[in-house]
Amino acid sequence: MGKPTGFLEYKRETAKVEAPKDRIKHFNEFRTPLKKEEQQKQGARCMECGVPFCQAGTMIAGMASGCPLHNLVPELNDLVYHGNWEQAYTRLTKTHCFPEFTCRVCPALCEAACTCNLDSQPVSTKENERAIIETAYANGWVTPRIPKVRTGKKVAVVGSGPSGLATAMQLNRRGHQVTVFERKDRIGGLLRYGIPNMKLDKSVIDRRIKLMEEEGVVFKTGVDVGKDITAKELQKDFDRIVLCCGASNPRDIKVPGREANNIFFAVDYLSSITKSLLDSNFKDKNFVSAKGKHVVVIGGGDTGNDCVGTAIRLGAKSVTQLEMMPKAPDERTEMNPWPEWPRICKTDYGQEEAIAVFGHDPRIYQTTVTEFIKDDKGNVQKAKLVKLEPKKDEKTGRMNMVPVEGSETIIEAQLVLIAAGFLGSQKYVTDAFKVDLTPRTNVATKPDQYETSVPGVFTAGDMHRGQSLVVWAIREGRKAAEAVDASLMGYSNL
Ligand SMILES: Cc1cc2nc3c(=O)[nH]c(=O)nc-3n(C[C@H](O)[C@H](O)[C@H](O)COP(=O)(O)OP(=O)(O)OC[C@H]3O[C@@H](n4cnc5c(N)ncnc54)[C@H](O)[C@@H]3O)c2cc1C
Ligand code: SF4
Ligand code: SF4
């Protein structure tokens, strides 16, 4: 333990965040990390607990607690405190493929599980992670790791999100020849075309892809597997296939008027904006505009929050975010003790921006849409809402949210964004490979395994786990790579 009294001497300090009214003028990242010496003090706050829940990555009460990658958090924090940046970087790469992504977008399961929560504030492990990886890049320590020996085995990875990238990195470093197929025009999956640029600057992905290309991974964009190339062709050309296609089936809102113009799924909306930003800095105007519109976002989660922040940057007149469920408590309840994941109300960057610009939280709880009203040109103009209340289903005993009679209201809605979650894998890919599915249409495997019902075809990420997080996708990619390697070589040292 670096500094036994560190957690008593130093308060938690985190990056400087640009004021909401300033940051909405651009699409850049808006956090300025602490200076190195200040970050080192944050490392000193870690108590190197005997039982470090921060790195446990276990399920407690149905939710993950601690880092799913089992990052060596106490050791990393200690190395940060002592300024041993190079060793910290080496240690971090033992468990992690892409710290530069998680240090920007991870909800920091490590921090939620940190023992310091009990009496104070958690160690800033996520920002320590950022300091380690960015120091490593700045000092030229992140170099291509080209395998010395090639095995002659060929692996196809379908999908270039974080799970596909982690699979590809690991298998290539082991000496297998890896080709990643991506149907979009750019690599990255939802890192690229879901998560907005202000949360993850897309140059951070490009920097990593360049290194992976130098290591020998081949990337093929604009290839839709199951359409442009058949499963049979892929199975003939490659020894193993790993399906990492995400959970890209959005949940729809099936109410009268749904066919009106200007109602989009959140990811289609967000990706149109990032693509236009990357292609032409918005000069091509090839994106869904929110300018001067009353925007309604359906879904109170993180994707909905990204839609709120994006619509505000694009000049929305107002933004309303609808959430079916009641507001979560502001603090942990007795039923949700540490180190469980805290089920509390989080006000994220988009909501903060809405509060700064419009003077109130954009979220309306226990509310849903019952109808979209359009004008004579077919454009959505208004949304009919109804309040919901929890009611127990007598047959199943389950709590359902049911409409409150007489509670209907109508609000302006000239752009509607549906961020109501995802429903598993896409049928044309799973049909093409004839893999078995779970009842939730995720690709089925035995528990904690990655090979599908079709020998030689593996799966990882959201396509396997269901809609989740970047950190889980990376873990799945690493685990799937290990399974593929073992199936090719008879053992794996990954
Ligand atoms: C708007 C939004 C914001 C999010 N924000 C966060 C966040 O802040 N933090 C966080 O941890 N998580 C976040 N998530 C979740 C996170 O992005 C996902 O859990 C993660 O990206 C899943 O990784 P994946 O590799 O399994 O799939 P994906 O990232 O979905 O990548 C799948 C890739 O496969 C490609 N593909 C699919 N089918 C084919 C095919 N037939 N042929 C070729 N290519 C194909 C797709 O085009 C896509 O590029 C967010 C999700 C969304 C939608
Ligand atoms: S990957 Fe996420 S949970 Fe793991 S240490 Fe980093 S920020 Fe924490
Ligand atoms: S739980 Fe917190 S204080 Fe304990 S080792 Fe982990 S980061 Fe350090």
Side-chain angles (χ1 to χ4, degrees):
M1 179 172 176
K3 192 163 174 57
T5 53
F7 70 102
L8 297 171
E9 280 175 52
Y10 307 123
K11 281 206 177 104
R12 177 181 160 102
E13 305 278 350
T14 49
K16 196 161 166 264
V17 181
E18 194 178 354
K21 280 195 175 166
D22 295 329
R23 69 191 191 223
I24 59 167
K25 294 177 190 151
H26 59 77
F27 276 81
N28 303 329
E29 289 184 5
F30 50 80
R31 286 171 210 281
T32 310
L34 297 180
K35 291 202 178 85
K36 266 218 190 117
E37 313 77 64
E38 291 167 358
Q39 199 71 53
Q40 285 180 235
K41 283 187 191 165
Q42 294 304 307
R45 291 189 70 237
C46 177
M47 301 183 290
E48 267 191 68
C49 302
V51 181
F53 286 92
C54 53
Q55 67 175 67
T58 47
M59 300 301 284
I60 305 180
M63 283 174 300
S65 173
C67 178
L69 291 167
H70 307 304
N71 275 357
L72 305 165
V73 176
E75 294 178 33
L76 293 171
N77 286 335
D78 185 50
L79 290 165
V80 166
Y81 167 56
H82 285 107
N84 279 338
W85 296 102
E86 192 164 4
Q87 208 185 337
Y89 166 65
T90 313
R91 203 55 67 93
L92 183 55
T93 56
K94 283 189 185 301
T95 54
H96 208 335
C97 298
F98 310 118
E100 66 268 44
F101 302 155
T102 50
C103 73
R104 289 171 164 84
V105 306
C106 190
L109 291 81
C110 52
E111 295 187 16
C114 176
T115 318
C116 285
N117 282 299
L118 284 174
D119 205 26
S120 166
Q121 286 195 298
V123 176
S124 59
T125 297
K126 179 173 162 180
E127 293 192 2
N128 291 352
E129 184 173 292
R130 181 172 179 146
I132 297 169
I133 186 65
E134 291 306 332
T135 303
Y137 270 110
N139 284 287
W141 302 329
V142 192
T143 50
R145 284 167 53 182
I146 302 164
K148 290 199 177 74
V149 183
R150 286 283 175 191
T151 61
K153 307 284 185 195
K154 289 166 74 186
V155 182
V157 175
V158 185
S160 69
S163 65
L165 292 178
T167 309
M169 173 187 272
Q170 294 292 92
L171 287 173
N172 177 68
R173 286 185 176 175
R174 182 75 165 95
H176 308 307
Q177 182 58 61
V178 183
T179 306
V180 179
F181 294 90
E182 170 54 56
R183 63 184 173 188
K184 292 267 169 85
D185 63 336
R186 289 182 172 91
I187 296 296
L190 289 172
L191 293 171
R192 174 79 63 180
Y193 283 136
I195 299 174
N197 200 64
M198 51 273 191
K199 246 161 86 180
L200 174 64
D201 193 289
K202 304 310 162 194
S203 64
V204 175
I205 309 173
D206 297 335
R207 180 174 67 176
R208 177 59 75 174
I209 300 306
K210 190 167 169 288
L211 280 163
M212 288 178 68
E213 281 174 334
E214 286 165 18
E215 289 174 352
V217 177
V218 175
F219 290 101
K220 293 198 173 178
T221 51
V223 184
D224 198 336
V225 174
K227 289 184 182 166
D228 301 331
I229 178 168
T230 64
K232 270 214 173 109
E233 283 172 274
L234 223 55
Q235 279 162 318
K236 188 165 107 339
D237 292 345
F238 291 88
D239 298 297
R240 297 288 183 271
I241 293 163
V242 192
L243 302 176
C244 300
C245 303
S248 22
N249 262 345
R251 183 180 281 119
D252 207 349
I253 302 287
K254 291 180 181 145
V255 296
R258 168 65 183 87
E259 71 291 350
N261 302 325
N262 295 328
I263 302 179
F264 298 94
F265 288 117
V267 172
D268 295 342
Y269 165 75
L270 293 169
S271 64
S272 81
I273 288 149
T274 302
K275 180 157 167 51
S276 179
L277 171 71
L278 296 178
D279 284 354
S280 67
N281 201 13
F282 297 127
K283 285 199 188 79
D284 62 10
K285 299 209 163 41
N286 213 355
F287 61 92
V288 179
S289 171
K291 197 164 180 57
K293 292 179 182 163
H294 293 287
V295 178
V296 174
V297 179
I298 303 175
D302 295 345
T303 302
N305 170 69
D306 287 333
C307 291
V308 171
T310 302
I312 290 175
R313 277 167 181 71
L314 293 173
K317 199 168 185 180
S318 73
V319 185
T320 306
Q321 191 180 7
L322 306 179
E323 168 56 52
M324 283 179 74
M325 301 308 288
K327 181 177 177 289
D330 290 325
E331 289 184 2
R332 281 179 187 275
T333 62
E334 281 182 10
M335 300 293 288
N336 175 217
W338 171 89
E340 286 180 15
W341 175 256
R343 290 189 301 266
I344 55 173
C345 180
K346 183 177 82 172
T347 299
D348 211 334
Y349 75 98
Q351 287 129 9
E352 279 176 0
E353 290 161 4
I355 293 167
V357 174
F358 305 117
H360 58 86
D361 196 312
R363 288 168 288 189
I364 305 181
Y365 295 92
Q366 295 187 235
T367 303
T368 194
V369 174
T370 55
E371 187 181 344
F372 296 112
I373 301 164
K374 53 190 177 183
D375 63 12
D376 50 12
K377 292 190 187 109
N379 298 325
V380 67
Q381 289 299 326
K382 292 175 197 294
K384 203 180 266 184
L385 311 183
V386 68
K387 279 269 165 212
L388 301 169
E389 63 183 357
K391 196 170 175 193
K392 200 171 182 179
D393 183 317
E394 292 308 331
K395 276 192 202 143
T396 62
R398 275 186 55 178
M399 272 305 187
N400 291 328
M401 298 300 288
V402 297
V404 177
E405 223 175 283
S407 67
E408 290 83 3
T409 48
I410 292 180
I411 61 167
E412 299 278 337
Q414 286 129 27
L415 173 63
V416 175
L417 305 170
I418 302 175
F422 296 86
L423 294 171
S425 57
Q426 285 190 310
K427 197 169 166 353
Y428 76 93
V429 196
T430 52
D431 278 357
F433 286 92
K434 298 189 175 62
V435 288
D436 285 352
L437 302 180
T438 68
R440 294 182 162 213
T441 72
N442 301 323
V443 176
T445 63
K446 289 186 185 140
D448 295 326
Q449 292 191 24
Y450 297 84
E451 192 161 22
T452 67
S453 54
V454 178
V457 179
F458 292 69
T459 187
D462 281 6
M463 192 180 199
H464 180 218
R465 214 187 133 74
Q467 186 198 5
S468 188
L469 294 171
V470 170
V471 64
W472 278 109
I474 296 171
R475 168 175 160 150
E476 288 254 322
R478 290 175 67 92
K479 289 279 181 191
E482 195 183 324
V484 170
D485 187 35
S487 83
L488 286 170
M489 310 301 285
Y491 75 101
S492 179
N493 60 5
L494 282 174

